[in-house]
Amino acid sequence: MQKFNTNQVGWIGLGQMGEPMVKHLLNQGTKVGVYNRSKAKCEAVVALGATAYDSVLELVQANEIIFLMIADYQAVQQVLDEKVLSALKGKLIVNMSTISPVQNQAVEALLAQYGAEFVEAPVSGSSKVAEAGKLLVLAAGKEEIVEQLKPLFSAFSTTTFYYGEVGKAGGMKLMINSLLGIFIQAYGEALVFADQYGIPKEKVIEMISGSAMNTAIFQAKVPMYLQDDFSPAFMMKHMTKDFNLAKAEMLKQGRSFPLIEQAATSYNQANDAGLSEVDMAAIYQFLAQVK
């Protein structure tokens, strides 16, 4: 079994999730090399000791383990160009981005052609959860490699769940995000429903908070509802992407899940209505305008 150097890693993608995750790795003493298309986003982690690289190729050449925390499958394909693939022999790609099970399997098969290992490890949790270091890691791939990665995962997560072969962790990520999106739409609909009775929103939120319908995710969004400030913790466009991936999985199975289908429609409409860059909880604002 190949042993990887877990004292030093490369990291591609310093968005809302990637930056706090890298900071936690640095805080635990891991050497981290970083690359981001916008170099300015490297500055905060470089100030804490990270090394910035001018290209993906240079980062890959300098590190055995390379983490991906980027937007989607297209971004993954762009990162893994021919030059990068040719430099990956004996190295490990850990994909923490949310892409579909089939897409993860395609990446695994591609990397195998170049002598590289692959683990899929999407995370559950928002940017606020990432900042707190309390994400959940959903991992799949060779179990002995996942075991080597657990000390790295523990820097920014509380638990690593292992699901077996590549594809299953991606499926679990789509499941949990679909559940999340349905909950957030349900809370949005409840607030809009109650509005017709002229009861102040604060009073409605107080009642939900004291009921059996209260949840941690509802409380995380309460300040947004109260202040009508939907600064993103989980962008609408990312939830929309995940619902679309979930719908594709349903079609592949020949199954129908009405709640997922309806929520996917709502989020797509809200995304197209100009809410793509705000928090997913702004589905409430969208629903309030729909007649």
Side-chain angles (χ1 to χ4, degrees):
M1 179 185 71
Q2 184 176 353
K3 291 282 189 180
F4 292 96
N5 176 17
T6 55
N7 296 316
Q8 174 180 327
V9 303
W11 191 284
I12 299 171
L14 294 169
Q16 281 190 299
M17 300 294 289
E19 181 181 321
M21 293 166 77
V22 166
K23 287 180 177 178
H24 286 300
L25 286 169
L26 291 167
N27 287 339
Q28 79 166 13
T30 304
K31 295 180 180 178
V32 186
V34 296
Y35 171 82
N36 197 81
R37 284 183 301 178
S38 171
K39 291 184 179 181
K41 288 191 175 181
C42 295
E43 294 174 359
V45 294
V46 167
L48 295 175
T51 301
Y53 290 88
D54 291 329
S55 70
V56 173
L57 180 60
E58 290 174 333
L59 180 141
V60 165
Q61 290 171 334
N63 298 277
E64 280 187 359
I65 302 174
I66 299 94
F67 286 85
L68 307 181
M69 181 51 100
I70 48 186
D72 52 28
Y73 185 48
Q74 182 179 7
V76 172
Q77 290 176 305
Q78 289 172 349
V79 163
L80 299 176
D81 63 24
E82 191 64 35
K83 288 183 179 180
V84 169
L85 288 167
S86 297
L88 283 175
K89 185 175 181 179
K91 297 181 185 287
L92 168 63
I93 295 291
V94 183
N95 181 35
M96 309 202 83
S97 316
T98 301
I99 63 178
S100 77
V102 170
Q103 290 166 346
N104 271 309
Q105 290 165 347
V107 175
E108 180 187 38
L110 176 65
L111 293 175
Q113 296 176 27
Y114 290 86
E117 296 286 356
F118 179 73
V119 164
E120 63 168 343
V123 295
S124 179
S126 68
S127 60
K128 299 293 186 184
V129 180
E131 289 168 6
K134 295 183 178 181
L135 295 166
L136 302 180
V137 175
L138 317 178
K142 293 181 179 177
E143 188 169 9
E144 60 270 24
I145 296 179
V146 172
E147 287 297 320
Q148 292 182 53
L149 293 170
K150 281 185 176 180
L152 295 172
F153 293 154
S154 69
F156 46 73
S157 71
T158 59
T159 310
T160 295
F161 296 96
Y162 177 69
Y163 294 110
E165 65 265 26
V166 167
K168 291 187 174 181
M172 290 297 288
K173 177 60 187 292
L174 295 181
M175 176 279 293
I176 197 66
N177 275 14
S178 294
L179 184 60
L180 168 64
I182 289 168
F183 274 132
I184 294 299
Q185 174 156 338
Y187 286 125
E189 289 188 11
L191 292 173
V192 173
F193 184 89
D195 186 61
Q196 67 183 300
Y197 302 109
I199 299 170
K201 186 165 51 178
E202 294 82 358
K203 292 291 186 180
V204 178
I205 289 172
E206 181 183 15
M207 190 274 283
I208 295 173
S209 297
S211 76
M213 301 302 104
N214 185 39
T215 64
I217 189 61
F218 178 68
Q219 289 303 314
K221 304 303 183 184
V222 161
M224 297 183 182
Y225 297 136
L226 290 174
Q227 299 164 24
D228 285 316
D229 179 0
F230 293 91
S231 299
F234 188 165
M235 284 189 185
M236 183 77 73
K237 65 181 180 182
H238 297 319
M239 178 52 74
T240 302
K241 176 205 71 174
D242 294 350
F243 265 122
N244 290 338
L245 291 175
K247 279 186 65 178
E249 289 297 298
M250 285 168 24
L251 290 173
K252 187 175 69 176
Q253 298 175 38
R255 302 289 299 275
S256 176
F257 298 103
L259 290 177
I260 291 178
E261 291 173 36
Q262 180 53 56
T265 298
S266 297
Y267 281 95
N268 273 282
Q269 290 173 344
N271 190 70
D272 294 343
L275 297 174
S276 63
E277 301 290 327
V278 298
D279 193 82
M280 58 178 290
I283 193 72
Y284 158 67
Q285 289 184 321
F286 172 75
L287 293 167
Q289 297 167 6
V290 175
K291 301 297 183 183

